């Protein structure tokens, strides 16, 4: 069995890849080494090693590749542009935070074959249906377990495979299944027999029991029986019909004979439950479905802090790749820290630290190319300006010349607005957030003194929150504000329209004097104090004005704060270090996974009016208060990832469900752990929650490897908004710490949502 089929294998470019090529792997201007690359027979795995015998080899899957870039489209390949022609160069970009692979072929023709071939294979992997994905996964395991490459697997190899697959199975039972699959009694399994063995191994009793409840003959679900299941268990009666049941049969049933009978077998039922439609996430909420015509201040906006950094804030590398990755993840507000460069060209880096420097003009060029790849809604460029007037003029010139019409430089209708324009009106535009002299449309005739810088606000805010034991900010971050004034050039000031940065002088002053296009930045500590002391006022302020929150200055390791506290009071641009994986980025990804991943999520209606009385501390006092009861039966897990890659190690998984929202909703519950089974653990345990502000809540599923002696190890997670949850029997498809899919790892759950009576 070859899951890729003969068509893709017969492709001329793929044939070049399978034959193998010597490509130069480039890490820097001084590190360029030849490696032999080839595509393995599975049509998915790319293998490479040094040309010298005895050295180890490396493999990766095309499913890990996000994109292929041609020519000198990376900083590394740009640095060797004089040495290698663009048509021989290409870059493999991986999902998540994995570094790029920069390669140079010996000829342009060979580079072209690899570029086209990898793109075809990536497209094939991305467009697989659920059955094809499962077939591919089975094929991969067969390849890994077949150590001697004879296309067969004896029982010893099967035992090793079971350990690799994270299951500690009774050897007698495993031998029994092996013997049943070995129809030819040859003592080994070929791939088709292995598929049969796998199906017996993965027989899911918990799915079979649900199937039996609705199948009259126990063999098939007729369309009418499937419709009953959809109505009663999946709570889809309002939008489902017998016609939809038939559509599911046509889409997911592998047996043509069953399709002709308008029926679904157990195999088809399991494929449906594992599909996108059987997912815990409402499919329609993954698409762009919200009203995008409201003022910008009515949306949560996916926002990045120190976007240029790939690592920590003291010694990390500044990189254009960091901007590309953030924008591809749907980020709509990026930060640029600008400083005077030695040759008259402004540079971007974390000032007064050991982080590397990149050119401002290169950042702007990267924005021009990647701003609207993931979303065509506006991008806000948050400018941290430390440059003198002369290089500010250079910045203004680069912004105008490189971005052209993409940069918004004038009021949409020429009128001073009473409210901010909408994402819809600003589609395809880049907005500059920075200091500005005067109002939009004003003419400024000279260079004027600006207010205190955001960095000084950060230093002051953080200093206020330090306890006696804390070191001073200056000891932790060598950039605390030394200057008290800066000057703005007219050219740069004139480019700021709807996002004028101003110092925050209190909610009362904002109510009486502030214009809707004036916005303030707050350190996390200051924002937390305001949220606690004046939550309702903060919500009201954010109904009209944009707020940007940034991590405190002591987070030199690029760690993050919990963004939920800021969303609870309506802050739109809650900026996080996108380069740092963990809970906080899981929450950010979870919130912005909805609405087509466009980077804008409409705030709940009770947070959008200037007279709102909503307080996150007292959610029950708002109009329309409707608490919900959330009941999650954690039934089973499927093919959970290994934590320890040692051959004999098996995980002891447990499931924790966490609710993040207003303070009253913060809660977590967990199952017991299952000993020695990451392959098909069964819990059948129910976790219960009450959610008082469901419109703001996020639900996070996390799987951990239980450890009695030390902290549990993370295995996988999935986070989504409460409002996007599908009730019924659902699969939760797990993501890695990096936020990438861990196919086919999942949890099988039954979810019930009801009004709290």
């Amino acid at each position: 069995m070859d899951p890729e089929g003969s068509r893709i294998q017969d492709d001329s470019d793929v044939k070049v890849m399978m034959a193998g090529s010597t490509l130069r792997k480039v890490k820097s201007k001084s590190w360029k080494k030849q490696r032999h690359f080839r595509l393995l027979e599975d049509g998915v795995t790319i293998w490479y090693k040094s040309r010298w015998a005895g050295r180890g080899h490396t493999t990766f899957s095309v499913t890990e590749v996000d994109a292929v870039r041609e020519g000198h489209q990376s900083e590394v390949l740009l640095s060797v542009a004089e040495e290698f022609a663009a048509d021989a160069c290409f870059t493999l970009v991986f999902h998540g935070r994995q570094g790029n692979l920069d390669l140079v072929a010996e000829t342009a023709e060979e580079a072209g074959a690899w570029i086209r071939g990898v793109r075809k294979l990536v497209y094939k992997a991305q467009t697989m249906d659920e059955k094809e994905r499962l077939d591919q996964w089975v094929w991969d395991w067969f390849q890994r377990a077949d150590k001697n490459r004879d296309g067969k697997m004896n029982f010893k190899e099967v035992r090793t495979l079971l350990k690799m697959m994270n299951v500690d199975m009774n050897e007698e039972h495993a031998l029994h299944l092996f013997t049943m699959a070995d129809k030819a009694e040859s003592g080994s399994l070929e791939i088709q027999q292995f598929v049969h063995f796998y199906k017996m191994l993965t027989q899911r009793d918990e799915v079979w029991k649900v199937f039996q409840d609705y199948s009259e003959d126990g063999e098939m679900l007729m369309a009418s029986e499937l419709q009953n299941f959809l109505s009663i268990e999946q709570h889809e009666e309002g939008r489902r019909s017998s016609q939809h049941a038939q559509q599911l049969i046509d889409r997911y049933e592998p047996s043509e004979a069953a399709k002709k009978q308008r029926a679904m077998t157990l195999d088809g039922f399991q494929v449906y439950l594992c599909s996108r439609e059987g997912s815990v996430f409402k499919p329609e909420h993954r698409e762009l479905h919200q009203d995008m015509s409201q003022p910008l201040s009515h949306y949560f906006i996916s926002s990045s802090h120190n976007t240029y950094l790939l690592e920590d804030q003291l010694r990390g590398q500044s990189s254009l790749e960091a901007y590309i990755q953030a924008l591809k993840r749907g980020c709509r507000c990026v930060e640029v820290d600008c400083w005077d460069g030695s040759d008259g060209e402004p540079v971007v880096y974390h000032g007064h630290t050991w982080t590397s420097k990149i050119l401002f003009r290169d950042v702007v060029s990267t924005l021009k190319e990647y701003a609207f790849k993931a979303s065509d809604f506006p991008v806000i460029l948050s400018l941290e300006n430390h440059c003198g007037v002369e290089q500010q003029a250079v910045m203004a010139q680069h912004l105008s010349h490189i971005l052209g019409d993409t940069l918004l430089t004038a009021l949409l209708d020429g009128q001073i607005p009473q409210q901010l324009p909408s994402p819809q009106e600003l589609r395809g535009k880049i907005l500059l957030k920075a200091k500005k002299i005067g109002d939009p449309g004003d003419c400024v005739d000279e260079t004027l003194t600006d207010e205190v810088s955001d960095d000084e606000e950060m230093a002051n805010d953080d200093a206020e929150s330090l306890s006696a034991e804390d070191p001073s900010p200056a000891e932790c971050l060598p950039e605390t504000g030394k200057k008290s004034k800066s000057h703005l050039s007219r050219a740069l000031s004139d480019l700021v329209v709807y996002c004028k940065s101003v110092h925050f002088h209190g909610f009362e002053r904002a109510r009486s004097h502030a214009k809707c296009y004036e916005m303030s930045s707050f350190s996390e500590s200051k924002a937390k104090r305001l949220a606690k002391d004046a939550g309702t006022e903060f919500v009201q302020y954010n109904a009209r004005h944009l707020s940007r929150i940034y991590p405190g200055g002591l987070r030199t390791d690029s760690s993050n704060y919990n963004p939920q506290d800021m969303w609870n009071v309506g802050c739109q641009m809650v900026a996080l270090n996108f380069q740092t994986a963990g809970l906080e980025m899981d929450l950010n990804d979870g919130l912005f996974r909805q609405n087509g991943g466009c980077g804008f999520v409409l705030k709940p209606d009770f947070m959008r009016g200037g007279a709102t009385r909503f307080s996150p501390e007292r959610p029950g006092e708002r109009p329309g208060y409707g608490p919900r009861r959330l009941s999650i039966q954690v039934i089973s897990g499927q093919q959970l990832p290994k934590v320890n890659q040692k051959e004999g190690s098996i995980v002891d998984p447990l499931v924790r469900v966490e609710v993040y929202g207003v303070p009253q909703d913060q809660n977590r519950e967990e199952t017991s752990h299952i000993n020695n089974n990451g392959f098909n653990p069964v819990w059948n345990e129910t976790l219960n929650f009450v959610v008082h502000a469901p419109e703001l809540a996020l639900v996070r599923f996390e799987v951990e490897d239980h450890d009695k002696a030390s902290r549990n190890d993370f295995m996988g997670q999935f986070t989504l908004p409460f409002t996007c949850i599908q009730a019924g029997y659902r699969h939760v498809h797990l993501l890695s710490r990096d936020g990438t899919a861990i196919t086919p790892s999942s949890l099988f759950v039954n979810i019930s949502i009801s009004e709290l009576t």
Side-chain angles (χ1 to χ4, degrees):
M1 180 193 82
D2 179 354
E4 289 294 311
S6 58
R7 188 181 63 79
I8 195 73
Q9 304 288 20
D10 291 340
D11 180 90
S12 59
D13 295 322
V14 174
K15 281 183 175 178
V16 170
M17 296 174 65
M18 296 188 81
S21 301
T22 298
L23 306 174
R24 205 176 293 265
K25 181 180 175 183
V26 184
K27 286 188 176 180
S28 69
K29 204 164 184 175
S30 59
W31 199 103
K32 297 162 288 195
K33 300 191 177 178
Q34 289 187 322
R35 297 286 184 263
H36 187 69
F37 283 77
R38 68 182 175 91
L39 176 69
L40 298 186
E41 292 73 15
D42 63 2
V44 172
T45 306
I46 292 175
W47 173 101
Y48 68 95
K49 67 171 291 185
S50 165
R51 298 174 75 187
W52 307 110
R55 298 281 179 90
H57 68 271
T58 304
T59 61
F60 62 89
S61 169
V62 295
T63 61
E64 299 171 47
V65 178
D66 182 54
V68 187
R69 297 193 198 132
E70 299 178 49
H72 301 143
Q73 285 202 59
S74 74
E75 287 154 285
V76 169
L77 290 177
L78 276 171
S79 72
V80 295
E82 293 182 7
E83 188 177 352
F84 301 111
D87 59 8
C89 297
F90 62 100
T91 302
L92 301 185
V93 182
F94 295 92
H95 293 291
R97 296 171 177 82
Q98 187 178 341
N100 294 348
L101 190 55
D102 292 300
L103 300 168
V104 182
E106 293 182 347
T107 66
E109 291 72 26
E110 194 167 40
W114 276 85
I115 290 165
R116 293 186 300 271
V118 173
R119 283 177 176 164
K120 289 169 191 172
L121 293 172
V122 168
Y123 177 78
K124 174 78 175 173
Q126 290 173 343
T127 54
M128 281 184 192
D129 61 27
E130 295 306 313
K131 184 177 184 305
E132 288 173 324
R133 283 184 203 282
L134 198 57
D135 285 349
Q136 181 64 59
W137 191 75
V138 175
W139 174 268
D140 289 346
W141 278 118
F142 185 86
Q143 293 288 106
R144 273 183 262 182
D146 183 18
K147 299 292 187 186
N148 59 6
R149 300 288 180 206
D150 64 353
K152 299 176 181 178
M153 228 170 19
N154 60 35
F155 184 63
K156 184 179 179 182
E157 288 175 314
V158 165
R159 278 188 312 182
T160 303
L161 166 62
L162 295 180
K163 292 283 187 184
M164 291 165 65
M165 294 174 89
N166 223 348
V167 61
D168 190 12
M169 181 174 276
N170 176 281
E171 187 164 322
E172 188 178 332
H173 180 57
L175 181 59
H176 174 66
L177 295 181
F178 181 93
T179 304
M180 288 176 66
D182 181 16
K183 298 281 177 61
E185 299 182 2
S186 65
S188 62
L189 303 181
E190 295 182 358
I191 183 61
Q192 295 293 357
Q193 296 165 325
F194 177 66
V195 170
H196 182 57
F197 170 79
Y198 171 80
K199 285 196 171 183
M200 291 189 290
L201 187 69
T202 55
Q203 178 66 51
R204 291 180 56 186
D205 291 341
E206 71 276 22
V207 173
W208 182 81
K209 286 173 184 172
V210 177
F211 184 86
Q212 292 294 305
D213 286 343
Y214 287 88
S215 170
E216 186 174 330
D217 65 0
E219 296 294 324
M220 293 193 199
L221 278 177
M222 305 308 293
S224 59
E225 294 170 336
L226 179 57
Q227 185 187 358
N228 286 341
F229 169 77
L230 294 173
S231 173
I232 296 168
E233 301 292 354
Q234 307 298 73
H235 308 279
E236 296 178 353
E237 62 273 13
R239 57 194 174 104
R240 304 297 182 185
S241 63
S242 59
Q243 182 182 1
H244 186 257
Q246 184 60 47
Q247 288 171 349
L248 293 181
I249 291 169
D250 292 340
R251 197 170 299 149
Y252 300 115
E253 176 51 51
S255 165
E256 292 299 325
K259 281 184 185 179
K260 286 177 183 175
Q261 297 180 57
R262 299 185 70 238
M264 182 178 272
T265 63
L266 178 59
D267 280 350
F269 186 63
Q270 189 162 312
V271 172
Y272 151 65
L273 286 176
C274 292
S275 74
R276 180 176 167 131
E277 287 182 271
S279 159
V280 70
F281 203 111
K282 290 179 181 175
E284 63 270 27
H285 281 210
R286 285 188 180 272
E287 311 303 325
L288 184 68
H289 70 282
Q290 295 182 342
D291 176 8
M292 303 305 290
S293 64
Q294 301 202 28
L296 278 180
S297 55
H298 289 186
Y299 298 84
F300 297 121
I301 303 171
S302 180
S303 303
S304 164
H305 174 249
N306 288 355
T307 313
Y308 46 88
L309 289 180
L310 283 173
E311 301 163 45
D312 72 77
Q313 318 219 3
L314 290 183
R315 295 177 178 80
Q317 181 187 357
S318 301
S319 172
L320 299 176
E321 191 62 41
Y323 284 96
I324 296 171
Q325 294 301 331
L327 290 166
K328 283 169 67 175
R329 289 179 76 164
C331 180
R332 298 287 89 191
C333 176
V334 297
E335 185 180 20
V336 183
D337 280 15
C338 294
W339 300 80
D340 283 339
S342 57
D343 59 354
E345 282 290 340
V347 293
V348 175
Y349 81 114
H350 204 211
H352 306 303
T353 68
W354 295 275
T355 58
S356 60
K357 300 172 183 177
I358 51 180
L359 290 174
F360 175 76
R361 68 172 181 231
D362 289 344
V363 172
V364 178
S365 296
T366 300
L367 283 177
K368 170 73 172 175
E369 183 170 356
Y370 289 95
F372 304 107
K373 297 275 190 188
S375 167
D376 58 0
F377 289 107
V379 169
I380 298 168
L381 193 164
S382 181
L383 187 64
E384 188 69 39
N385 177 14
H386 305 273
C387 291
V389 175
E390 293 79 9
Q391 292 200 21
Q392 287 182 39
V394 176
M395 289 163 57
Q397 189 176 32
H398 288 326
L399 286 165
S400 299
H401 288 182
I402 296 171
L403 297 180
D405 293 342
T406 304
L407 181 67
L408 187 81
T409 58
L411 295 161
L412 290 180
D413 56 6
Q415 302 296 312
I416 299 291
Q418 296 305 304
Q419 65 178 23
L420 289 167
S422 69
Q424 182 66 43
E425 293 172 298
L426 295 169
R427 266 187 134 128
K429 292 295 183 182
I430 293 176
L431 283 65
L432 185 63
K433 170 202 166 290
K435 304 289 185 181
K436 181 178 180 67
I437 307 303
D439 295 319
D442 287 356
C443 286
V444 182
D445 296 325
E446 58 185 327
T447 298
L448 296 173
T449 302
D450 186 23
E451 299 180 47
V452 68
S453 76
D454 283 350
D455 274 348
E456 289 176 67
E457 288 185 38
M458 177 175 76
N460 294 337
D461 292 339
D462 288 335
E464 289 171 26
S465 67
L466 293 176
S467 67
E469 295 82 42
D470 283 319
S472 71
E475 290 172 23
C476 294
L477 189 65
E479 68 147 30
T480 49
K482 297 294 182 188
K483 61 176 187 175
S484 58
K485 292 182 179 178
S486 63
H487 293 82
L488 289 183
S489 76
R490 171 182 175 178
L492 191 60
S493 173
D494 284 353
L495 298 181
V496 179
V497 184
Y498 291 114
C499 298
K500 176 184 176 181
S501 295
V502 299
H503 186 64
F504 180 72
H505 294 288
F507 294 125
E508 183 58 45
R509 172 83 177 271
R511 271 194 299 271
S512 56
H513 291 91
K515 313 290 197 307
C516 66
Y517 50 80
E518 294 178 336
M519 63 171 293
S520 297
S521 293
F522 306 86
S523 73
E524 61 174 283
S525 54
K526 184 170 183 176
K528 280 183 179 177
R529 286 198 302 276
L530 289 171
K532 185 177 180 182
D533 298 341
T536 299
E537 288 184 286
F538 213 166
V539 175
Q540 292 173 348
Y541 172 85
N542 285 323
R544 186 163 186 259
H545 299 276
L546 292 172
S547 292
R548 181 175 182 273
I549 317 300
Y550 54 86
L554 299 183
R555 294 186 181 273
T556 56
D557 60 350
S558 291
S559 60
N560 281 310
Y561 56 94
N562 189 325
Q564 187 70 50
D565 299 332
M566 313 307 169
W567 294 327
N568 287 343
V569 287
C571 297
Q572 301 88 354
M573 292 185 273
V574 182
L576 297 178
N577 291 303
F578 271 47
Q579 73 271 29
T580 306
L583 165 66
E584 298 82 9
M585 275 306 297
D586 292 345
L587 296 176
N588 194 78
D589 290 344
L591 176 67
F592 292 104
R593 190 165 279 122
Q594 62 186 312
N595 206 30
C598 75
F600 287 82
V601 168
L602 188 63
K603 293 196 280 191
D605 57 0
F606 56 78
M607 303 183 88
R608 303 198 298 258
T612 176
R613 300 305 304 164
F614 173 72
S615 165
E617 300 291 334
R618 300 180 301 280
E621 296 179 11
R622 68 175 172 86
Y625 170 63
R628 296 287 188 272
R629 187 181 300 281
L630 172 65
S631 179
I632 301 173
Q633 181 191 11
V634 180
I635 302 172
S636 62
Q638 293 76 45
Q639 292 93 50
L640 301 178
K642 290 186 76 161
V643 175
N644 187 332
Q645 292 306 315
K646 289 180 182 174
E647 199 166 274
S649 69
I650 305 290
V651 295
D652 305 324
L654 64 84
V655 178
R656 179 181 299 115
V657 177
E658 303 168 330
V659 176
Y660 293 86
V662 298
Q664 200 173 344
D665 288 342
Q666 305 279 2
N667 200 358
R668 60 174 57 188
E669 298 285 339
E670 65 183 48
T671 67
S672 58
H673 67 273
I674 304 293
N675 287 325
N676 293 330
N677 191 347
F679 186 73
N680 56 359
V682 175
W683 288 278
N684 277 325
E685 296 182 34
T686 300
L687 311 178
N688 292 300
F689 304 87
V690 172
V691 184
H692 297 272
E695 302 90 341
L696 283 171
L698 293 168
V699 179
R700 183 172 187 260
F701 296 82
E702 182 178 358
V703 184
E704 291 185 347
D705 180 15
H706 174 74
D707 195 317
K708 285 182 283 191
S710 61
R711 187 175 179 179
N712 292 350
D713 288 318
F714 171 91
M715 294 175 66
Q717 67 84 30
F718 187 77
T719 306
L720 75 165
F722 180 95
T723 53
C724 296
I725 293 176
Q726 291 203 102
Y729 286 99
R730 303 293 175 187
H731 278 89
V732 179
H733 298 282
L734 297 174
L735 304 177
S736 70
R737 190 179 292 282
D738 236 8
T740 56
I742 321 173
T743 305
S745 298
S746 64
L747 298 174
F748 186 44
V749 298
N750 187 9
I751 295 177
S752 171
I753 299 173
S754 58
E755 293 184 5
L756 186 66
T757 53

